[in-house]
Amino acid sequence: MPLRLPILWRDNLLSTAVSSPRSEITEIPAGAGTNLMPRRMHESYAQVTLPFASDPHLLDSYTNANGGIRTGKIMEHLDSLAGSVAYKHALGPAVESLGSIILEGFYFVTASIDRLDMLQPLTPQDTSDLRISGQVIFVGASSMEVAIKLESVNETTGEEKTVMIGEFSMVCRDAVTHKAQKLNPLILETETERELFHIGKVGKERKKKISLLSLSRSPPCEDESSLIHSLFVVHQPFTDSKGRPLETTPMGNTMLESTALMHPQDRNFHTTDDFSGYLMRLAYEIGYSTATLFANRPLRFFSLDNTTFKLPVPVGSILRLQSKVTHTKSGAANFRSDRHASLVNVRVQADVLDVKTGDKKTTNEFQFTWGDDHTLHKTVIPVTYIEAMEWLEGRRALDVGDQIRKFRS
């Protein structure tokens, strides 16, 4: 998996210092956009196995404080495998290593994640390995949809269980101009492949629709406006399923914040920015801390909702993460109930801070959902209008998650 560029950082700095500015480069090397050989869907398939059953030391390095698996580290691998699948589609199924992007003429970045859904608890077992696999299911002009699956494979019985599924959007960029680069078209040979292609296409269209309906762009619907009015004006009490009042916590009181300096050891393949999987792991871990502190107990991860990587995070910059609980479900009369007694939605905002200028730019907004089957005796409430919009976004995320989990069950 192309987690890191296979050259030393100090050598990269030297080559960067003596290389010509981009404006002086007149010859664009041949890349994905100039050799558009059609590819079959299965040719992009890639998989990686974490051999926990035969390597207890590896298993120990992935075990968290509660005896489970560090999900954030697994997410880092999911993103890396999606990158491997993308390069395999562009360079061909026989590719085994990646050279300089200037020689290849292009590179891939993670544009967005449609969803990541945990289908069952991720717990370590001495007899099971974890297998991460994926392949391209849709190709557009310069972007592709990559389906990723995480499975538990029991070495003793041979039983395989799907633990997590997700869909990543990868975008191809020109190595010199950084503009969109055309991709190899996809050959569809079977009815199953045509169905997968349709799923990927629908997923891409759905992300555009979700973006347009975001409360940062569009006002809330009539029902949501009435709900906010009731919350602030009528002061409708929050109660559980038995009519008992729930303890309310202002949203601002749930916030956690952390900063991290972006080191070159965590850079991605094209060397200038930090690896998106690493950012996802940092966001997951602060989000988990926020949900756990709010619930006063460890919670199980359920899903990561649609998130877009808006801007790169350059090496040497400072990443600031702000996390807070935006919505909760507790089987209360105010919410729709599902088979889980408690659900907690956490929003994590990632900002990149320029060390020299102090400028702040938002790179990502993550929406995570945690929960369990135990009753949650409190809920979060917004105080400001902006928090009210975040509260509604969290409510939407939990409702969508409910529908997906019920459909899959």
Side-chain angles (χ1 to χ4, degrees), residues 329 331 336-343 398 401-402 405-406:
K329 276 189 171 186
R336 303 172 192 174
S337 62
D338 68 354
R339 61 193 182 95
H340 301 290
S342 300
L343 292 174
L398 292 185
D402 283 352
R405 283 186 290 273
K406 289 175 182 177

Side-chain angles (χ1 to χ4, degrees), residues 49-267:
T49 299
L50 299 175
F52 290 158
S54 59
D55 192 342
H57 294 288
L58 178 67
L59 174 60
D60 188 69
S61 68
Y62 280 80
T63 304
N64 62 28
N66 300 311
I69 295 293
R70 292 183 58 184
T71 307
K73 290 186 69 173
I74 299 298
M75 287 182 175
E76 194 169 358
H77 295 327
L78 298 181
D79 183 73
S80 181
L81 187 81
S84 296
V85 169
Y87 281 106
K88 202 170 182 181
H89 174 80
L91 298 174
V95 64
E96 295 182 355
S97 62
L98 300 174
S100 167
I101 64 164
I102 294 298
L103 295 178
E104 298 292 354
F106 67 96
Y107 62 90
F108 282 97
V109 295
T110 304
S112 64
I113 302 171
D114 186 12
R115 282 189 68 87
L116 285 178
D117 285 287
M118 186 74 80
L119 306 184
Q120 56 182 306
L122 184 59
T123 55
Q125 296 180 10
D126 295 336
T127 58
S128 297
D129 295 338
L130 285 182
R131 181 173 64 209
I132 306 169
S133 61
Q135 70 178 39
V136 173
I137 61 171
F138 173 82
V139 175
S142 61
S143 65
M144 65 174 65
E145 299 295 308
V146 178
I148 297 292
K149 179 167 62 174
L150 175 68
E151 297 169 286
S152 173
V153 182
N154 190 300
E155 289 298 306
T156 302
T157 64
E159 183 182 13
E160 300 179 0
K161 293 182 179 179
T162 301
V163 178
M164 186 188 298
I165 57 175
E167 188 175 318
F168 288 71
S169 293
M170 310 299 295
V171 176
C172 189
R173 300 295 186 193
D174 186 277
V176 177
T177 66
H178 302 291
K179 294 181 179 179
Q181 177 82 291
K182 289 185 178 180
L183 280 171
N184 310 66
L186 197 60
I187 301 173
L188 304 178
E189 297 179 313
T190 67
E191 185 61 31
T192 299
E193 289 179 349
R194 283 185 279 273
E195 291 176 0
L196 289 172
F197 186 87
H198 177 71
I199 291 172
K201 183 178 180 180
V202 169
K204 183 176 181 179
E205 295 171 349
R206 182 176 63 248
K207 279 178 279 190
K208 292 181 180 179
K209 183 178 180 180
I210 291 174
S211 177
L212 293 174
L213 294 177
S214 169
L215 290 172
S216 62
R217 295 188 177 187
S218 304
C221 65
E222 183 177 349
D223 290 343
E224 291 174 331
S225 296
S226 298
L227 184 61
I228 292 299
H229 179 270
S230 175
L231 181 67
F232 280 96
V233 178
V234 182
H235 299 291
Q236 178 181 352
F238 289 91
T239 58
D240 62 18
S241 56
K242 296 183 178 180
R244 296 172 298 192
L246 291 171
E247 176 188 346
T248 57
T249 301
M251 188 180 295
N253 291 359
T254 69
M255 181 178 290
L256 293 181
E257 181 175 322
S258 69
T259 58
L261 181 62
M262 296 294 98
H263 295 289
Q265 290 78 16
D266 299 308
R267 69 191 186 279

Side-chain angles (χ1 to χ4, degrees), residues 356-390:
K356 295 181 179 179
T357 65
D359 291 341
K360 179 194 75 171
K361 295 181 179 178
T362 299
T363 64
N364 303 80
E365 293 176 356
F366 299 89
Q367 292 268 14
F368 295 97
T369 298
W370 282 272
D372 61 17
D373 295 324
H374 302 285
T375 303
L376 190 67
H377 296 289
K378 60 181 178 180
T379 189
V380 68
I381 57 171
V383 175
T384 66
Y385 184 80
I386 293 178
E387 289 183 351
M389 296 302 101
E390 294 172 345

